[in-house]
Amino acid sequence: MSTYSHHNNELTIKNLNETVFLKGWVSKVRNLGGLIFMDLRDQYGITQLVVRPNSALYERASQVRSEYVVEVKGIVIERESKNKFMTTGDIEIDVTELNILNTAMTTPITISEQDNISEEVRLKYRYLDLRKPTSKNYLLQRSKITQSIRNSLLNNNFLELETPYLVKTTPEGAKEFIVPSRLYHGEGYALAQSPQMFKQLYMVSGFEKYFQFARCFRDEDLRADRQLEFTQIDIEASFITQEDIMKLGEEMMSNMFKDILGKELKLPIARLTYQDAFDMYGSDKPDLRYELKIEDLTDKLSSYHVPLFESKASLRGFTLPNNALFTRKYFDKLTEIVKKNHGDTLAYVKHEGGQLSGSVSKFFDENVVADGYTLFIVPGTYEGATNACGALRKELAKDLGYIDETLESLVWIVDFPLFEYSEEDQRLYARHHPFTAPKDLEDFRNNPKDTLAKAYDLVWNGYEVGGGSMRIYNQEVQNEMFEKLGFTQEEIRNKFGFFIDALKYGTPPHGGIAFGLDRIVMLATKTDNIRDVIAFPKTQSARDIMMESPSPIDKLQLEDLGLKVIK
């Protein structure tokens, strides 16, 4: 047989009477009154084949089962019973040649969209699950999104360069995966959490525009939008401003929206300061597809004497129209969410038909909230109550149907604090990472706790999809940063000596950003599970069910590495 002529989502009534050569998997076989019908599937779609009882191929066709791999030649004919839901639904192939390339056992999962199989089983047989059009489509879209983004960066003269995966362990940030050294017992590498220092060293080296689709590794607890290993679109540039980088990010996202989603992204993307975002929405990654701003109720309720609110620094909350959902049981659920998110508790007053009800209603008169509305009140510190209201806002919007799924909301969050202060450890931690430039050098030196950073995050529908900053490029300022984070000169020299040294030799002003490819694909394809858009993901319990890993390490391997397992 010669070269394949078409894929299985290509042939239409225009191809009538053509001789074609196709290949793929048999997704379904039906014998109807002697006529054998087969649905032939490849990564593009499905074409129906027909073999007639008087055909010399009939016996061979009778042996074909689901998921056999075959190639066929045949003539395009018009279908009698047409399928308007398929591109190829007007035609079928009258098979003249049939070659079985491989047989298949009965698959442990049905290659069908309506299989109702648990995610655990799907991931165990992921290579079969990926044959389903929906599962496959996530990865096809991922490939298209990757190419769109790559083209945007190449068109802006960025170079695609690589950085090492085996790196020196660093004390800051998330937990690392450690790789023991066979040659140097007691020593080891870490798998890179990000290419941060290397991409800055590219700037020191005079490569003015760099990008990479970088694999990153973090030994953290998994969530619906997080994996142990993930892909970030890593970008760094020299002689550039924060505005330049944000504009580049907007162009990249706008092109992707146009290329993949067929939507116009309104530019420039709106901006919110970190303080405004937290104050209004209780989050540094607010979903702005719905309003629902947090109210400051401290002054409004100051004339009422409520024992629960005494000595509380802040009262924050919402006023919402009454809803059948607002039952005692529902408020109990919301109270748990508030407590898990640093709020003291949830109090509420419902005004209905001139009557007040609710957990603290006896302390109020009917002027506290309009008839037909419920007042939600979270007492606590300003930070704790606001944070809890942020979690409450998300839950209320979901439960009350406030989210318009057809909308796309993108917003830049800017002016982040440079540091976080830990009361427990009595020390400062870098909010972003220790290479982020302060917005004001005098503030940085004299009032570090309140210093703002030249940092920016891009938020899409309540998910952070990108984050970056302008970098410190002066070795003295970088050294001061490490000192403020509590490192001794000896620790700085030991952990970051090579980097501090590199900054001494003429480092240009530079900055960058990293976008989470997995999250971008998750949002673009409208799934809420990041595992859908990763070919071979780990489960939420951080296991690879298909490969059965992690697995015990062989004793000989442990000896070779000079390691002992402590139980």
Side-chain angles (χ1 to χ4, degrees), residues 297-414:
L297 303 169
T298 315
D299 289 344
K300 179 180 176 176
L301 304 183
S302 61
S303 60
Y304 297 98
H305 298 290
V306 185
L308 185 64
F309 301 162
E310 281 174 16
S311 77
K312 302 300 181 189
S314 190
L315 301 175
R316 314 220 73 207
F318 305 98
T319 306
L320 292 174
N322 291 340
N323 191 288
L325 208 58
F326 296 170
T327 62
R328 177 69 183 270
K329 190 177 176 183
Y330 183 67
F331 283 108
D332 287 346
K333 179 187 96 162
L334 297 184
T335 301
E336 285 307 305
I337 290 169
V338 165
K339 288 179 177 176
K340 277 181 192 167
N341 289 278
H342 314 296
D344 290 1
T345 188
L346 172 64
Y348 65 98
V349 184
K350 187 192 282 188
H351 192 169
E352 196 156 34
Q355 298 292 311
L356 296 186
S357 61
S359 60
V360 289
S361 57
K362 66 181 179 183
F363 301 104
F364 294 102
D365 58 42
E366 59 185 25
N367 295 319
V368 75
V369 62
D371 199 347
Y373 286 82
T374 297
L375 185 63
F376 294 72
I377 312 159
V378 178
T381 62
Y382 170 75
E383 285 78 11
T386 306
N387 195 74
C389 281
L392 199 57
R393 177 180 182 268
K394 284 168 74 173
E395 193 70 15
L396 286 165
K398 178 166 68 81
D399 292 347
L400 298 172
Y402 287 177
I403 305 168
D404 183 345
E405 298 290 351
T406 65
L407 292 180
E408 307 295 348
S409 157
L410 281 85
V411 60
W412 287 108
I413 308 297
V414 296

Side-chain angles (χ1 to χ4, degrees), residues 217-233:
F217 306 86
R218 293 181 190 171
D219 193 5
E220 296 184 315
D221 294 338
L222 273 62
R223 297 200 302 252
D225 66 338
R226 180 177 286 167
Q227 284 272 300
L228 299 176
E229 53 183 311
F230 57 93
T231 304
Q232 73 182 30
I233 306 143

Side-chain angles (χ1 to χ4, degrees), residues 197-481:
M197 282 191 280
F198 290 105
K199 68 176 178 176
Q200 289 191 246
L201 290 173
Y202 268 131
M203 301 304 106
V204 176
S205 306
F207 294 89
E208 294 177 20
K209 288 183 170 184
Y210 140 99
F211 83 96
Q212 171 184 200
F213 285 82
R215 299 293 284 172
C216 302
F217 306 86
R218 293 181 190 171
D219 193 5
E220 296 184 315
D221 294 338
L222 273 62
R223 297 200 302 252
D225 66 338
R226 180 177 286 167
Q227 284 272 300
L228 299 176
E229 53 183 311
F230 57 93
T231 304
Q232 73 182 30
I233 306 143
D234 206 52
I235 298 168
E236 198 80 4
S238 297
F239 307 107
I240 198 168
T241 65
Q242 178 170 323
E243 289 297 320
D244 294 330
I245 291 177
M246 291 168 77
K247 192 177 174 193
L248 172 74
E250 291 182 357
E251 182 187 324
M252 187 190 95
M253 292 299 286
S254 174
N255 290 345
M256 190 276 287
F257 264 59
K258 213 174 292 174
D259 296 343
I260 312 303
L261 305 179
K263 292 181 178 179
E264 283 290 328
L265 180 60
K266 191 180 172 189
L267 298 181
I269 291 170
R271 298 181 185 193
L272 271 178
T273 65
Y274 167 83
Q275 184 52 49
D276 284 347
F278 186 68
D279 189 68
M280 290 190 286
Y281 306 109
S283 172
D284 59 1
K285 40 183 181 290
D287 187 344
L288 302 185
R289 287 175 296 174
Y290 52 95
E291 272 291 308
L292 199 53
K293 290 180 183 171
I294 298 168
E295 299 171 49
D296 194 334
L297 303 169
T298 315
D299 289 344
K300 179 180 176 176
L301 304 183
S302 61
S303 60
Y304 297 98
H305 298 290
V306 185
L308 185 64
F309 301 162
E310 281 174 16
S311 77
K312 302 300 181 189
S314 190
L315 301 175
R316 314 220 73 207
F318 305 98
T319 306
L320 292 174
N322 291 340
N323 191 288
L325 208 58
F326 296 170
T327 62
R328 177 69 183 270
K329 190 177 176 183
Y330 183 67
F331 283 108
D332 287 346
K333 179 187 96 162
L334 297 184
T335 301
E336 285 307 305
I337 290 169
V338 165
K339 288 179 177 176
K340 277 181 192 167
N341 289 278
H342 314 296
D344 290 1
T345 188
L346 172 64
Y348 65 98
V349 184
K350 187 192 282 188
H351 192 169
E352 196 156 34
Q355 298 292 311
L356 296 186
S357 61
S359 60
V360 289
S361 57
K362 66 181 179 183
F363 301 104
F364 294 102
D365 58 42
E366 59 185 25
N367 295 319
V368 75
V369 62
D371 199 347
Y373 286 82
T374 297
L375 185 63
F376 294 72
I377 312 159
V378 178
T381 62
Y382 170 75
E383 285 78 11
T386 306
N387 195 74
C389 281
L392 199 57
R393 177 180 182 268
K394 284 168 74 173
E395 193 70 15
L396 286 165
K398 178 166 68 81
D399 292 347
L400 298 172
Y402 287 177
I403 305 168
D404 183 345
E405 298 290 351
T406 65
L407 292 180
E408 307 295 348
S409 157
L410 281 85
V411 60
W412 287 108
I413 308 297
V414 296
D415 290 351
F416 282 86
L418 186 63
F419 297 107
E420 288 175 345
Y421 183 73
S422 167
E423 292 289 351
E424 193 179 327
D425 301 339
Q426 295 285 294
R427 58 158 284 198
L428 294 169
Y429 285 91
R431 167 101 198 179
H432 195 64
H433 54 56
F435 313 108
T436 300
K439 202 167 180 186
D440 185 288
L441 212 47
E442 287 303 305
D443 265 357
F444 171 67
R445 287 181 169 141
N446 303 319
N447 185 22
K449 272 191 194 180
D450 297 328
T451 306
L452 297 178
K454 288 184 181 176
Y456 32 86
D457 281 2
L458 184 62
V459 176
W460 180 3
N461 292 353
Y463 288 91
E464 179 205 325
V465 293
S469 68
M470 301 306 293
R471 321 300 187 193
I472 297 168
Y473 61 95
N474 176 290
Q475 67 270 23
E476 288 167 21
V477 177
Q478 186 63 75
N479 198 59
E480 282 181 63
M481 169 62 93

